[in-house]
Structures are given as structure tokens and as C-alpha cells.
């Protein structure tokens, strides 16, 4: 405990880095997954291809990705961009299916009514399908957020600063307290992400909380 | 006017084999839905009703043939524009769960570029017009009953005041009591609005009740008969239509015959609270009880009155016919009355007199004789052939 308090500045700093490395990819991944999921929801054949491909991306070990990306991107191994890109890949892998499922979960008669009212396909996506998919997408985002926070800590193995440092450093120094601090800080950070996503989702979906007739 | 000319819809075979002709959902349909009238498409499940309806707003493209609205080929119009000019109501309403009732109703005007305030105030008017409490406007669809959702669906379809409405089994998913309310209010609304309506149902009773004309389709999407409801009941073209139209056709056809002026018998009455002696003094086994405004409440069996007439001793099986109602309601009032004397009330619901079945029958026969000797085919109530479904003889005989 005293160790944590003594190092609070360092912990907070690395937590900020960790949040950035896990959070920015969450946003980027969502932005990429939305059009991909939309395509998948519209075209049954494309759906199979897209979901299999993105699903496979998630199986690439993170350490391998951190090491493989620099030559691909022309970046240095210590460049945090590598981590951002890798985490974005994982987020896309997780969210494409979620977005596709969310968009196709819209009730058939609601969709028919929207078409019959003269909504074009993009307008329908924006005004009907997407808002109705928010609860499903938010659930997927929560999974992706936790997954990102945990995967990012691996990046300390290639020397990129974030909370994972306490795990590797504590292990190297045989100092369990530091390892515990790293674990708890990661947990708290995941919790914060989860909370933010839930709050935003609730704000966007007032209709889901009404009492049914 | 919506006009189908030789419209065929063929779906590719599910197996996807080439060369197969595919299954025909609608077969060479030629049909006119006149302006300001309700045309009902009725037929067994899978006979192509929904397909027919959806070809009008081009949610489905015909394989061949043309569909025109007021002389304009729908295929030549911009599809979004076409759809925004056509109200569409479906079975489960298909409301947007994430929008309030008010914003659901305001959808099409908003799509057409009406500003939010104007669209909402128009939506509010419509919400009241379809018989919903204005307090519902702020609710979400999940907070409404099925019947209320269906009303919102109708209001939403009417919001941009489209001249044409397509309705696909809009009242099929609600319970019978609510369905009847919705049907009656739909007719009332239509008598004000005079939309050109294509209405789909599998329920022949609904078809006959709502339609100015009824098109019966058979499986394979072939038009079997297109006629007024009265003609359909009186003169089905073949066994399929006769079977589909169902039993009691003669009796049901009387719905379209306005009750003629018949001489009614004065009926002695008692009020609630009348003593047993007063009831027995009338001298008949069944005595009619009326309320303060003279409205019939029900029959009492004189022998069953112990001290005085209370609501609990009233017999409630009898129906009440209206002088402005149909021959069917008149006959039913007589048949359902425990005394054999059918109760007849005026348009305000006050007792006018009673009539026996034996006195109604001659009126029915006279009507048939007049119809078969006249040049015209048997029609509705004399001049009633051209009346719209919305101003038919009031059919509902209130149970008392
Ligand atoms: N998308 C489709 N593909 C193939 N066949 C269809 C399709 N939609 C409808 N059908 C077939 O067309 C026929 C008419 O369907 P439909 O118009 O929905 O009938 P109804 O509304 O009268 O029940 C049915 O036999 C149905 O199976
Ligand atoms: Mg149908």
C-alpha cells in the first residue's frame, strides 16, 4: 500500500498511457467496424467472408503482431503506433460481428415500415438500424475494452510504457507488491472503460428502460 | 385510382435451378382500386396478397405488367417519392422502438422536409384523431398495447396526408374486441378522409365489413372474384369463393340491407326498482326494463322478480336493433330476444318498439323479390349499392 502511494505519480502516468493505448483503438476500431458490419449485415455472402477474416485476426498472438507490424508499417519497434494499430486490429476483429448482428437484429416489421416510408438504405442505417443496434454494439464494446486493457499490458515486453511495466518489473525484481499494484490498476482501468461505455449507451437508449405495457 | 394491368410476380425457385419457371405468387392480375374507396384483397394464406400490395410501392418489382396510380406508371416515378406518397400499415405496426409515439407519427413529414415543430403539431392532431390519449405522445412504443400501437401505425401512415394507403392485415394481431373497435374507427376515419385504400386481410368477415369492393384471390395469385360485399355473399362465382365466403351467407348478406320502415309494436316497460306487483301486472312472462332516458336495459322474467327489478335479474342476451340499422340487426334482435320480441331503438338509443321475427321475414322476402324483378342485380339496400362501407347501415347491435 505504501509502495503504491509512494509511486502514485508513476502509476497515474502509466495508467494514462495505458488508457490511451487501449482506448484510442477502441474508437478507431468502432469507426472501421461500423461500415464493415453494415456490409456484412446487407450481403449474406460477404458476411461469411468478412466475419471469418476478422475473426481470424483475433487469433494472431499479440506479441507476434507487435513485432510484425514495424516492418509492415515502416515504424520503429518502440513506436506506440504499433500498439495502437495492433489493438485496432483486435477491436475490429471483435466488433465487426457485433455490429453486423446488432444491425440485423432490427425487427422485420420495423424494417419493412422504414423501407415503405421511403428511407434509402443509408438513411435507414443512420436513423433506424444504428440507433437500435446501440445496446448490442455497446455490449461488444465492453468486451473489446476489457480485452484491449489486458492485451496492451503485453506491450511492456517490447518496452512500451504502460501499466504492464509493473508486472514485468515486479516479476524481474521478485517484488510481488508491484505486480499486484499493476493488476489492480489494470482492473480499475477496465472498470472505468466499462462504466463510460455503459453511461454513454444508456444516454443513447432511453427507450430500452421504459416499463412495457 | 390504383390500376393493376396484367401484373404477374414470379419468384425464382428456392432450389435455384436454371430453366425452372419459378413459383407464381401473383398471376396476371388486372384490378382497379377506385379513388376514395376501400378495396379489400382477401384470400387464404399464401395467395399473394402481400406480394400484390408491395408491388404498389415497389417494395417488390413485378415480373411483368404495370401498376399505375392516377394514371401514372409507378415504375416511372422516383421510388422514395412514390413511397412517401403512400401510407403503409402492417400487422405488427412496425413502429420505431427508439422514437416516441409523437416522433414515430412525425416520421414521413420530417423525411419530406417539414420542420420539426410543424411535423410534431400535425402528429399531435393525428394522434388524437385516431382515438389515442394525447398523453401517449411522449411514450415509447413498448409502453403501448397492441391495439394502441396499431392506432399509432395508422396515424403514422396518415401523417403526410397521402392520397393512397396500403394496409396489410393491420388488425389481425389484436384481440377480437379491440379489432372490432379499430375497424369501426377505421371506417369512421375513412368516411372523413376518403383515401384510396388497398386493404389486405385473410378474414372474410373483415373484408365484407370494410370493403367497398372485395377481391377474392385464390392460391397461385389468381383473382377469383371482384365484387361488392353484398354481391359476393349473394352470388359467389364458384365453389372456391362460396367455400371461402363461408356459411350463413344469406344471413350475413342482410348486413347490407338497411332496415325498412316497419310498423313496430308498442312495448310496455318498467324501470329499475319497479316492484314485483308492477311487473306482474303487465301480464306477459317477459317484461322490458328501460333506463331513465328510455334506453332499453334488458328483459326481466316476471316470475323471477322477488321484491323489485334490479340489474342482476336483467337478461342480457338480447341484441338491440337500430331504426337506422340493417335488416340483419333487426332479425337478430328478434331471434336473440327471450320474449321473441326484438327490441328496436332510435339513433339516440331510445326504445321505439318491438318486432317479431315473423314480421321481419316478409320485409326480407319483399326485398329479394324487388331485387330479382328489377333490372339490376341484387344489390345492397335498394339505393345502397353505391354507399361506401363507411356509411353502411349501422351493423353493431349492442348486446343488452
Ligand atoms: N421472397 C420470396 N421468395 C420466394 N417465394 C416467395 C417470396 N415471398 C413470397 N413468396 C411466395 O409467394 C406466395 C405469396 O406470398 P404472399 O404474397 O406473402 O402471400 P399472402 O400475403 O397472401 O399470405 C407464397 O406462396 C409465398 O411462399
Ligand atoms: Mg401476407
Amino acid at each position: 500500500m505504501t509502495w503504491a502511494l509512494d509511486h502514485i505519480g508513476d502509476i497515474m502516468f502509466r495508467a494514462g498511457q495505458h488508457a490511451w493505448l487501449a482506448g484510442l483503438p477502441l474508437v478507431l476500431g468502432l469507426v472501421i467496424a461500423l461500415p464493415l458490419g453494415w456490409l456484412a449485415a446487407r450481403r449474406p455472402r460477404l458476411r461469411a467472408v468478412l466475419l471469418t477474416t476478422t475473426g481470424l485476426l483475433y487469433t494472431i498472438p499479440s506479441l507476434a503482431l507487435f513485432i510484425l507490424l514495424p516492418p509492415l508499417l515502416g515504424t520503429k519497434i518502440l513506436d506506440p503506433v504499433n500498439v495502437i494499430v495492433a489493438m485496432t486490429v483486435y477491436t475490429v476483429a471483435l466488433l465487426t460481428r457485433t455490429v453486423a448482428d446488432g444491425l440485423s437484429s432490427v425487427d422485420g416489421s420495423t424494417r419493412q415500415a422504414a423501407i415503405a416510408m421511403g428511407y434509402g438504405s443509408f438513411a435507414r442505417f443512420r436513423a433506424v438500424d444504428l440507433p437500435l443496434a446501440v445496446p448490442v454494439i455497446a455490449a461488444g464494446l465492453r468486451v473489446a475494452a476489457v480485452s484491449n486493457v489486458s492485451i496492451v499490458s503485453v506491450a511492456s515486453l517490447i518496452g512500451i510504457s504502460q501499466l504492464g511495466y509493473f508486472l514485468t518489473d515486479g516479476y524481474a525484481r521478485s517484488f510481488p507488491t508491484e505486480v499486484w499494484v499493476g493488476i489492480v490498476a489494470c482492473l480499475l482501468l477496465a472498470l472505468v472503460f466499462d462504466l463510460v461505455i455503459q453511461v454513454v449507451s444508456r444516454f443513447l437508449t432511453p427507450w430500452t428502460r421504459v416499463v412495457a405495457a | 385510382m390504383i390500376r393493376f394491368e396484367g401484373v404477374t410476380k414470379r419468384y425464382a425457385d428456392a432450389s435455384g435451378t436454371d430453366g425452372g419457371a419459378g413459383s407464381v405468387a401473383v398471376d396476371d392480375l388486372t384490378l382497379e382500386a377506385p379513388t376514395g374507396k376501400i378495396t379489400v384483397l382477401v384470400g387464404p394464406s399464401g395467395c399473394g396478397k402481400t406480394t400484390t400490395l408491395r408491388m404498389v410501392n415497389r417494395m417488390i418489382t413485378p415480373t411483368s405488367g404495370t401498376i399505375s396510380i392516377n394514371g401514372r406508371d409507378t415504375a416511372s416515378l422516383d421510388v422514395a417519392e412514390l413511397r412517401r406518397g403512400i401510407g403503409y400499415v402492417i400487422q405488427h405496426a412496425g413502429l420505431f422502438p427508439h422514437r416516441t409515439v409523437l416522433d414515430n407519427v412525425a416520421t414521413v413529414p420530417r423525411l419530406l422536409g417539414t420542420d420539426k415543430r410543424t411535423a410534431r403539431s400535425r402528429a399531435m392532431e393525428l394522434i388524437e384523431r385516431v382515438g389515442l390519449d394525447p398523453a401517449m405522445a411522449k411514450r415509447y412504443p413498448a409502453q403501448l398495447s397492441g391495439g394502441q400501437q396499431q392506432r399509432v401505425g395508422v396515424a403514422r401512415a396518415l401523417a403526410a396526408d397521402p392520397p393512397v394507403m396500403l394496409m396489410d392485415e393491420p388488425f389481425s394481431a389484436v384481440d377480437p374486441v379491440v379489432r372490432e373497435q379499430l375497424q369501426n374507427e377505421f371506417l369512421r376515419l375513412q368516411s372523413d378522409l376518403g383515401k384510396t385504400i388497398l386493404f389486405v386481410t385473410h378474414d372474410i368477415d373483415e373484408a365484407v365489413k370494410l370493403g367497398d369492393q372485395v377481391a377474392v384471390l385464390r392460391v397461385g395469385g389468381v383473382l377469383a372474384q371482384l365484387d361488392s360485399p353484398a354481391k359476393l355473399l349473394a352470388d359467389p362465382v364458384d365453389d372456391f369463393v362460396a367455400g371461402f365466403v363461408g356459411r350463413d351467407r344469406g344471413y350475413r348478406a342482410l348486413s347490407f340491407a338497411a332496415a325498412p320502415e316497419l310498423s313496430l309494436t308498442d312495448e310496455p316497460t318498467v324501470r329499475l326498482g319497479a316492484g314485483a306487483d308492477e311487473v306482474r301486472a303487465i301480464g306477459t312472462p317477459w317484461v322490458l326494463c328501460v333506463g331513465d332516458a328510455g334506453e332499453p336495459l334488458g328483459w326481466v322474467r316476471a316470475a323471477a322478480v322477488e321484491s323489485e327489478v334490479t340489474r342482476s335479474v336483467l337478461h342480457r342476451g338480447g341484441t338491440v336493433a337500430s331504426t337506422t340499422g340493417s335488416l340483419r340487426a333487426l332479425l337478430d334482435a328478434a331471434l336473440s330476444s327471450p320474449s321473441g320480441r326484438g327490441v328496436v331503438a332510435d339513433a339516440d338509443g331510445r326504445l321505439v318498439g318491438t318486432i317479431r321475427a315473423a314480421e321481419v321475414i316478409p320485409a326480407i322476402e319483399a326485398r329479394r323479390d324487388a331485387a330479382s324483378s328489377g333490372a339490376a342485380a341484387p344489390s345492397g339496400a335498394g339505393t345502397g349499392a353505391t354507399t361506401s362501407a363507411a356509411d353502411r347501415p349501422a351493423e353493431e347491435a349492442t348486446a343488452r
Side-chain angles (χ1 to χ4, degrees):
Chain A
M1 197 65 205
T2 36
W3 188 89
L5 288 176
D6 289 347
H7 295 77
I8 192 75
D10 190 29
I11 295 172
M12 292 310 283
F13 179 68
R14 288 185 198 272
Q17 289 173 318
H18 202 116
W20 175 251
L21 292 173
L24 181 64
L26 218 51
V27 176
L28 295 176
L30 179 61
V31 168
I32 297 170
L34 280 176
L36 289 182
W38 182 58
L39 277 175
R42 279 170 62 85
R43 305 272 160 82
R45 282 205 201 135
L46 211 55
R47 181 190 173 98
V49 176
L50 273 171
L51 295 190
T52 312
T53 316
T54 53
L56 280 175
L57 287 178
Y58 195 74
T59 63
I60 306 174
S62 52
L63 198 54
L65 205 53
F66 294 148
I67 294 166
L68 283 175
L69 277 173
L72 281 175
L73 301 170
T75 46
K76 297 205 184 75
I77 185 93
L78 281 179
D79 195 332
V81 166
N82 300 326
V83 180
I84 299 277
V85 172
M87 297 320 298
T88 303
V89 168
Y90 289 131
T91 309
V92 170
L94 283 175
L95 284 186
T96 304
R97 176 181 294 277
T98 312
V99 171
D101 288 349
L103 293 177
S104 25
S105 73
V106 174
D107 179 63
S109 55
T110 301
R111 175 170 300 128
Q112 294 297 338
I115 295 171
M117 278 189 272
Y119 273 106
S121 63
F122 181 72
R124 206 180 75 217
F125 165 75
R126 200 186 54 77
V128 182
D129 294 351
L130 184 57
L132 288 174
V134 166
V136 177
I137 295 176
L141 266 177
R142 290 171 67 185
V143 174
V146 173
S147 147
N148 279 10
V149 168
S150 108
I151 297 177
V152 161
S153 57
V154 176
S156 53
L157 292 178
I158 53 163
I160 292 183
S161 165
Q162 27 70 25
L163 292 172
Y165 167 82
F166 299 119
L167 308 184
T168 41
D169 187 59
Y171 178 70
R173 298 197 293 146
S174 302
F175 181 44
T177 311
E178 188 179 356
V179 174
W180 276 113
V181 166
I183 291 173
V184 171
C186 277
L187 271 174
L188 287 176
L189 186 62
L191 219 64
V192 169
F193 272 118
D194 201 68
L195 220 71
V196 170
I197 294 167
Q198 282 199 65
V199 166
V200 172
S201 163
R202 279 175 73 92
F203 175 75
L204 291 174
T205 59
W207 77 92
T208 55
R209 290 187 304 281
V210 296
V211 189
Chain B
M1 179 182 73
I2 309 168
R3 188 170 159 72
F4 292 78
E5 257 183 85
V7 174
T8 296
K9 177 66 194 182
R10 184 176 288 122
Y11 285 110
D13 268 333
S15 55
T17 50
D18 50 354
S23 63
V24 175
V26 176
D27 191 2
D28 193 20
L29 179 70
T30 297
L31 179 84
E32 244 177 59
T35 303
K37 301 282 179 193
I38 303 172
T39 299
V40 177
L41 298 173
V42 67
S45 175
C47 71
K49 307 180 292 291
T50 297
T51 304
T52 304
L53 207 64
R54 288 189 182 168
M55 285 192 289
V56 177
N57 64 3
R58 289 175 50 196
M59 290 170 79
I60 294 176
T61 314
T63 311
S64 61
T66 57
I67 300 171
S68 60
I69 297 179
N70 298 328
R72 300 216 295 167
D73 185 348
T74 52
S76 70
L77 302 173
D78 173 67
V79 71
E81 217 169 296
L82 170 75
R83 288 176 183 165
R84 286 168 199 171
I86 298 176
Y88 188 65
V89 187
I90 48 182
Q91 187 166 12
H92 294 285
L95 300 181
F96 299 128
H98 61 305
R99 292 194 188 150
T100 60
V101 166
L102 190 66
D103 287 336
N104 260 283
V105 177
T107 303
V108 181
R110 293 286 291 142
L111 281 172
L112 288 167
T114 311
D115 68 277
K116 202 166 197 156
R117 271 187 55 189
T118 317
R120 283 189 166 169
S121 74
R122 164 112 184 103
M124 202 66 208
E125 276 168 42
L126 276 163
I127 286 168
E128 294 183 44
R129 185 126 197 208
V130 297
L132 283 170
D133 182 345
M136 303 268 171
K138 285 204 202 77
R139 295 202 186 169
Y140 287 102
Q143 294 169 289
L144 306 185
S145 70
Q148 290 167 335
Q149 291 190 21
Q150 217 42 261
R151 285 171 201 260
V152 177
V154 172
R156 184 175 65 175
L158 286 170
D161 202 18
V164 171
M165 299 268 284
L166 305 176
M167 307 181 76
D168 195 347
E169 313 219 7
F171 309 140
S172 299
V174 293
D175 67 73
V177 175
V178 174
R179 185 182 313 146
E180 178 154 4
Q181 276 172 9
L182 289 174
Q183 289 168 343
N184 293 340
E185 286 184 31
F186 169 64
L187 286 177
R188 179 180 55 76
L189 214 59
Q190 167 65 356
S191 71
D192 291 350
L193 300 176
K195 302 286 181 193
T196 306
I197 296 175
L198 211 50
F199 188 108
V200 161
T201 179
H202 61 262
D203 174 0
I204 184 68
D205 290 317
E206 182 167 73
V208 160
K209 175 172 180 181
L210 301 182
D212 292 307
Q213 61 169 5
V214 177
V216 183
L217 299 178
R218 66 173 98 239
V219 174
V222 182
L223 179 62
Q225 185 168 2
L226 173 66
D227 261 315
S228 71
K231 182 81 169 27
L232 196 67
L233 288 166
D235 199 4
V237 289
D238 59 18
D239 287 347
F240 166 74
V241 179
F244 189 74
V245 168
R247 295 167 197 255
D248 310 326
R249 294 194 288 276
Y251 182 62
R252 282 154 58 201
L254 294 176
S255 297
F256 306 102
E261 293 239 2
L262 295 172
S263 60
L264 303 174
T265 310
D266 281 339
E267 184 71 34
T269 59
V270 295
R271 299 284 171 112
L272 281 175
D277 294 344
E278 187 190 336
V279 175
R280 294 198 185 100
I282 290 174
T284 50
W286 286 93
V287 175
L288 187 62
C289 175
V290 296
D292 290 338
E295 76 281 14
L297 295 178
W299 293 95
V300 254
R301 201 153 60 82
V305 180
E306 281 169 12
S307 59
E308 62 177 38
V309 179
T310 58
R311 282 190 182 269
S312 62
V313 299
L314 295 181
H315 176 277
R316 298 186 179 263
T319 58
V320 177
S322 164
T323 47
T324 59
S326 66
L327 267 177
R328 177 178 172 172
L330 210 56
L331 183 59
D332 192 72
L335 294 178
S336 64
S337 168
S339 68
R341 304 190 294 280
V343 179
V344 183
D346 62 18
D348 297 326
R350 281 187 298 265
L351 177 69
V352 186
T354 53
I355 192 164
R356 291 182 164 277
E359 298 165 305
V360 182
I361 301 293
I364 295 170
E365 299 204 314
R367 176 179 160 274
R368 192 193 45 220
D369 293 346
S372 52
S373 66
S379 68
T383 57
T386 54
T387 59
S388 134
D391 37 55
R392 287 251 181 74
E395 189 192 320
E396 60 276 16
T398 345
R400 288 291 144 102

PDB file of all heavy atoms in Angstrom, chain A residues 6 16 30 33 53 55 58 94 100 163 186 189:
ATOM      1  N   ASP A   6       3.627   5.770  -2.580  1.00  0.00           N
ATOM      2  CA  ASP A   6       4.899   6.405  -2.934  1.00  0.00           C
ATOM      3  C   ASP A   6       5.049   6.591  -4.438  1.00  0.00           C
ATOM      4  O   ASP A   6       5.688   7.529  -4.898  1.00  0.00           O
ATOM      5  CB  ASP A   6       6.081   5.550  -2.434  1.00  0.00           C
ATOM      6  CG  ASP A   6       6.184   5.606  -0.927  1.00  0.00           C
ATOM      7  OD1 ASP A   6       5.504   6.488  -0.344  1.00  0.00           O
ATOM      8  OD2 ASP A   6       6.900   4.777  -0.337  1.00  0.00           O
ATOM      9  N   GLY A  16      -2.435   6.536 -17.563  1.00  0.00           N
ATOM     10  CA  GLY A  16      -2.853   7.409 -18.661  1.00  0.00           C
ATOM     11  C   GLY A  16      -2.380   6.865 -19.991  1.00  0.00           C
ATOM     12  O   GLY A  16      -3.149   6.799 -20.963  1.00  0.00           O
ATOM     13  N   LEU A  30     -14.077   0.871 -33.739  1.00  0.00           N
ATOM     14  CA  LEU A  30     -15.519   1.018 -33.938  1.00  0.00           C
ATOM     15  C   LEU A  30     -15.789   1.712 -35.269  1.00  0.00           C
ATOM     16  O   LEU A  30     -16.673   1.301 -36.029  1.00  0.00           O
ATOM     17  CB  LEU A  30     -16.122   1.813 -32.779  1.00  0.00           C
ATOM     18  CG  LEU A  30     -17.628   2.073 -32.861  1.00  0.00           C
ATOM     19  CD1 LEU A  30     -18.389   0.748 -32.862  1.00  0.00           C
ATOM     20  CD2 LEU A  30     -18.117   2.946 -31.715  1.00  0.00           C
ATOM     21  N   ALA A  33     -15.231  -0.830 -37.871  1.00  0.00           N
ATOM     22  CA  ALA A  33     -16.160  -1.966 -37.805  1.00  0.00           C
ATOM     23  C   ALA A  33     -17.570  -1.584 -38.261  1.00  0.00           C
ATOM     24  O   ALA A  33     -18.317  -2.437 -38.755  1.00  0.00           O
ATOM     25  CB  ALA A  33     -16.205  -2.526 -36.387  1.00  0.00           C
ATOM     26  N   THR A  53     -12.743 -13.681 -41.763  1.00  0.00           N
ATOM     27  CA  THR A  53     -11.460 -12.974 -41.833  1.00  0.00           C
ATOM     28  C   THR A  53     -11.186 -12.200 -40.547  1.00  0.00           C
ATOM     29  O   THR A  53     -10.121 -12.349 -39.936  1.00  0.00           O
ATOM     30  CB  THR A  53     -11.458 -11.980 -43.013  1.00  0.00           C
ATOM     31  OG1 THR A  53     -12.024 -12.631 -44.142  1.00  0.00           O
ATOM     32  CG2 THR A  53     -10.050 -11.511 -43.321  1.00  0.00           C
ATOM     33  N   GLY A  55     -12.534 -12.556 -37.705  1.00  0.00           N
ATOM     34  CA  GLY A  55     -12.443 -13.489 -36.582  1.00  0.00           C
ATOM     35  C   GLY A  55     -11.033 -14.069 -36.472  1.00  0.00           C
ATOM     36  O   GLY A  55     -10.485 -14.195 -35.371  1.00  0.00           O
ATOM     37  N   TYR A  58      -8.200 -12.071 -34.736  1.00  0.00           N
ATOM     38  CA  TYR A  58      -8.116 -12.063 -33.280  1.00  0.00           C
ATOM     39  C   TYR A  58      -7.222 -13.181 -32.761  1.00  0.00           C
ATOM     40  O   TYR A  58      -6.756 -13.125 -31.625  1.00  0.00           O
ATOM     41  CB  TYR A  58      -9.527 -12.179 -32.687  1.00  0.00           C
ATOM     42  CG  TYR A  58      -9.583 -11.812 -31.234  1.00  0.00           C
ATOM     43  CD1 TYR A  58      -9.498 -10.478 -30.847  1.00  0.00           C
ATOM     44  CD2 TYR A  58      -9.707 -12.786 -30.242  1.00  0.00           C
ATOM     45  CE1 TYR A  58      -9.534 -10.125 -29.517  1.00  0.00           C
ATOM     46  CE2 TYR A  58      -9.746 -12.440 -28.911  1.00  0.00           C
ATOM     47  CZ  TYR A  58      -9.656 -11.104 -28.547  1.00  0.00           C
ATOM     48  OH  TYR A  58      -9.688 -10.748 -27.226  1.00  0.00           O
ATOM     49  N   LEU A  94     -13.203  -8.017 -33.055  1.00  0.00           N
ATOM     50  CA  LEU A  94     -14.302  -8.298 -32.128  1.00  0.00           C
ATOM     51  C   LEU A  94     -15.592  -7.599 -32.537  1.00  0.00           C
ATOM     52  O   LEU A  94     -16.689  -8.136 -32.378  1.00  0.00           O
ATOM     53  CB  LEU A  94     -13.929  -7.840 -30.714  1.00  0.00           C
ATOM     54  CG  LEU A  94     -12.977  -8.738 -29.935  1.00  0.00           C
ATOM     55  CD1 LEU A  94     -12.625  -8.078 -28.597  1.00  0.00           C
ATOM     56  CD2 LEU A  94     -13.631 -10.102 -29.688  1.00  0.00           C
ATOM     57  N   ALA A 100     -22.571  -6.232 -37.123  1.00  0.00           N
ATOM     58  CA  ALA A 100     -23.423  -6.931 -38.089  1.00  0.00           C
ATOM     59  C   ALA A 100     -24.640  -7.532 -37.388  1.00  0.00           C
ATOM     60  O   ALA A 100     -25.777  -7.399 -37.855  1.00  0.00           O
ATOM     61  CB  ALA A 100     -22.634  -8.022 -38.799  1.00  0.00           C
ATOM     62  N   LEU A 163       0.799   0.270 -17.892  1.00  0.00           N
ATOM     63  CA  LEU A 163       0.694  -0.404 -16.598  1.00  0.00           C
ATOM     64  C   LEU A 163       1.380  -1.772 -16.573  1.00  0.00           C
ATOM     65  O   LEU A 163       1.779  -2.259 -15.513  1.00  0.00           O
ATOM     66  CB  LEU A 163      -0.786  -0.553 -16.200  1.00  0.00           C
ATOM     67  CG  LEU A 163      -1.524   0.746 -15.866  1.00  0.00           C
ATOM     68  CD1 LEU A 163      -3.007   0.470 -15.692  1.00  0.00           C
ATOM     69  CD2 LEU A 163      -0.944   1.383 -14.611  1.00  0.00           C
ATOM     70  N   CYS A 186      -4.816  -2.243 -13.606  1.00  0.00           N
ATOM     71  CA  CYS A 186      -5.443  -2.691 -14.862  1.00  0.00           C
ATOM     72  C   CYS A 186      -6.936  -2.935 -14.666  1.00  0.00           C
ATOM     73  O   CYS A 186      -7.769  -2.534 -15.478  1.00  0.00           O
ATOM     74  CB  CYS A 186      -4.784  -3.988 -15.349  1.00  0.00           C
ATOM     75  SG  CYS A 186      -3.270  -3.700 -16.264  1.00  0.00           S
ATOM     76  N   LEU A 189      -8.787   0.286 -14.364  1.00  0.00           N
ATOM     77  CA  LEU A 189      -8.895   0.952 -15.659  1.00  0.00           C
ATOM     78  C   LEU A 189      -9.990   0.295 -16.511  1.00  0.00           C
ATOM     79  O   LEU A 189     -10.820   0.975 -17.125  1.00  0.00           O
ATOM     80  CB  LEU A 189      -7.547   0.882 -16.386  1.00  0.00           C
ATOM     81  CG  LEU A 189      -7.487   1.678 -17.687  1.00  0.00           C
ATOM     82  CD1 LEU A 189      -7.699   3.159 -17.417  1.00  0.00           C
ATOM     83  CD2 LEU A 189      -6.139   1.454 -18.390  1.00  0.00           C
TER      84      LEU A 189
END
